[in-house]
Amino acid sequence: MAEIIRLNNRLVLSGETLTPSVAIPQGTNRCTLRASRAQWPATGVTLDAQFSFDGGATWPMIMPTFIGPGTTSAKDPVLRDAVIGFGWGARTPTHARARIVAPSQFRSDVVIEAD
């Protein structure tokens, strides 16, 4: 997978935050949205990958997913990233962006990858 956008230490505001729109390379079969959870709110966050087929004018393909806060254990002390994958058929989107809906402000690394 190749990164098509990386936003390190992105400030995610309470409510809705959108990332910039990014072009999806031709020939791409799928995208992955990844967000670090080190400062994730305890009530969870809704991640939403959005896809456009007309250069970013409209966003008809919206895929929201709720992700809880996550936990660590002595066996696995690393808090894993939230990762959501999306694929499509013959019609490839031209652009992607992420939407994050959070109950409180936090910081996260947000990455969209294409493959």
Side-chain angles (χ1 to χ4, degrees):
M1 288 227 152
E3 289 183 4
I4 57 176
I5 189 170
R6 171 178 281 278
L7 303 167
N8 289 324
N9 203 30
R10 173 78 177 207
L11 178 61
V12 177
L13 301 174
S14 175
E16 177 183 282
T17 298
L18 287 170
T19 67
S21 170
V22 61
I24 297 174
Q26 287 188 348
T28 297
N29 295 313
R30 62 189 173 128
C31 279
T32 300
L33 170 58
R34 177 182 307 274
S36 61
R37 295 193 296 162
Q39 298 180 27
W40 211 255
T43 55
V45 170
T46 298
L47 291 179
D48 190 355
Q50 300 183 346
F51 299 98
S52 173
F53 295 90
D54 57 10
T58 62
W59 299 90
M61 191 172 168
I62 298 173
M63 311 295 243
T65 303
F66 177 78
I67 309 250
T71 59
T72 60
S73 70
K75 290 182 180 179
D76 189 9
V78 177
L79 185 57
R80 305 287 174 201
D81 290 349
V83 180
I84 309 166
F86 305 92
W88 41 80
R91 189 171 174 221
T92 303
T94 60
H95 287 74
R97 69 182 181 189
R99 176 179 163 257
I100 304 169
V101 180
S104 58
Q105 178 176 300
F106 70 102
R107 290 195 172 273
S108 178
D109 297 334
V110 180
V111 178
I112 298 176
E113 301 167 316
D115 180 55

